Amino acid sequence: MTPGAGRLSLALLLTPFLLWIVLLVLLPHAEMLRVSFQVRESWDTLDWGLTQYRNFFEEAYYWRTFLRTGLMSLFTTALTLLVAFPIAWYIARLARGRSRGVLFLACLVPFWASELVRTYGWMILLRESGVFSALLQGGGLADGPVEMLYNDAAVIIGLVYNGLLFMVVPLVTTLDGLDENLVEAGYDLGGGHLTVLREVVVPWAMPGIVSGSIVVFMLTLGSYLTPILMGGKDSAWFTQQIFTQFITRFNWEQGAALGVLLLVLSSLMVWLGLKLTGQSLRKVMG
């Protein structure tokens, strides 16, 4: 193949990706940034300024909702890691042969359905006429129907379930490369289970931990369906505020500003997480 033909092939391969990035990511975000600086003085008069951003910091409900969403997203990410790590360890280190593929497939199958279907599945389980309520009543643990929906615990359950696969995959990939001799050396030197986990396994798995945590955190922070459906109409989630500004109030300028702030502040939190763990984005993303 000639150099010209190679460059043409590379250009043809990259064109769909570049079109996707430019048309569906960069241009919409650039337009949202532009709209966020607009100030609507009347229905046909626009000015430019920082009014929308001042509203965020001056209106306590906005920044308190974002702070609450951020803290719940961090807690959800940590809980997802606690749930996913034993699963990933068993798949990567203990499962052998066909059972390994079956276990990995079991983690994958629920994601063949959309987030909406998965969320409705949890609603069927947790509602007052659902499966769990019936089991509690049948076992004599409850005198009547038990409503488990429309609270923070239900929202976190749904978010952990939706983010589990995105934590398991990078952990399995990282733990699969762990040399068994390192683990045995840790025990030979007198380390217990917790010591080996802390000094050998976790440092080795740190790129996978950080990578999975970033993905789960960003997905959780930007989630809309699960908090609304499982938390109810009074669920204070920041994406709901953005939806309200765009769709309910038709205030696109404020909605765009909130969207930009969500992107900037969430990226800042990810950057701080990378600094605290001593990782780099290039390393954790492979």
Side-chain angles (χ1 to χ4, degrees):
M1 180 181 294
T2 64
R7 288 193 294 269
L8 178 60
S9 300
L10 180 62
L12 292 175
L13 288 173
L14 291 178
T15 296
F17 171 75
L18 293 175
L19 287 175
W20 177 278
I21 293 296
V22 172
L23 297 179
L24 299 181
V25 178
L26 296 181
L27 288 181
H29 280 81
E31 177 65 13
M32 188 168 64
L33 180 63
R34 185 189 69 83
V35 172
S36 69
F37 288 106
Q38 292 181 172
V39 179
R40 187 170 295 279
E41 297 182 342
S42 64
W43 69 273
D44 61 345
T45 304
L46 291 174
D47 199 358
W48 301 93
L50 299 174
T51 302
Q52 325 300 341
Y53 294 96
R54 284 199 300 268
N55 290 340
F56 172 80
F57 293 102
E58 293 175 357
E59 181 61 51
Y61 185 66
Y62 287 147
W63 60 263
R64 286 180 179 175
T65 301
F66 180 83
L67 182 62
R68 178 181 184 275
T69 303
L71 291 176
M72 287 189 63
S73 297
L74 287 173
F75 178 76
T76 300
T77 302
L79 188 58
T80 305
L81 176 60
L82 291 177
V83 174
F85 199 92
I87 298 174
W89 177 265
Y90 189 88
I91 293 175
R93 310 300 303 177
L94 302 179
R96 293 291 183 269
R98 183 175 297 178
S99 62
R100 182 174 180 176
V102 171
L103 290 173
F104 200 83
L105 183 63
C107 295
L108 181 63
V109 165
F111 290 84
W112 291 356
S114 68
E115 180 185 359
L116 180 62
V117 174
R118 296 196 302 270
T119 302
Y120 271 123
W122 273 107
M123 293 178 69
I124 292 173
L125 294 174
L126 297 176
R127 64 185 180 182
E128 61 181 358
S129 59
V131 176
F132 292 161
S133 178
L135 291 175
L136 290 174
Q137 294 177 72
L141 300 176
D143 297 329
V146 180
E147 180 61 84
M148 301 181 187
L149 281 175
Y150 313 125
N151 53 64
D152 290 344
V155 172
I156 289 174
I157 289 173
L159 292 173
V160 169
Y161 181 72
N162 286 325
L164 190 62
L165 179 67
F166 301 99
M167 187 69 78
V168 168
V169 171
L171 286 175
V172 169
T173 303
T174 305
L175 292 172
D176 192 43
L178 176 60
D179 190 347
E180 189 66 32
N181 292 325
L182 293 176
V183 179
E184 294 178 359
Y187 285 114
D188 292 340
L189 292 173
H193 294 308
L194 292 179
T195 302
V196 172
L197 177 66
R198 183 179 67 251
E199 301 295 335
V200 178
V201 177
V202 171
W204 180 274
M206 188 56 69
I209 292 174
V210 176
S211 177
S213 297
I214 289 175
V215 174
V216 172
F217 175 76
M218 297 297 283
L219 289 175
T220 302
L221 193 67
S223 180
Y224 176 77
L225 283 175
T226 301
I228 295 301
L229 293 177
M230 300 188 69
K233 63 179 181 180
D234 296 326
S235 174
W237 207 261
F238 196 68
T239 50
Q240 184 183 11
Q241 301 304 315
I242 299 175
F243 177 87
T244 299
Q245 296 297 332
F246 275 113
I247 306 301
T248 305
R249 299 182 179 178
F250 298 101
N251 188 352
W252 283 52
E253 293 78 18
Q254 188 64 62
L258 296 182
V260 170
L261 286 168
L262 178 64
L263 176 62
V264 171
L265 295 177
S266 60
S267 300
L268 178 61
M269 295 176 73
V270 170
W271 178 81
L272 289 174
L274 290 173
K275 290 298 181 181
L276 291 174
T277 56
Q279 301 292 312
S280 64
L281 190 61
R282 177 180 297 180
K283 183 178 181 180
V284 299
M285 294 305 176

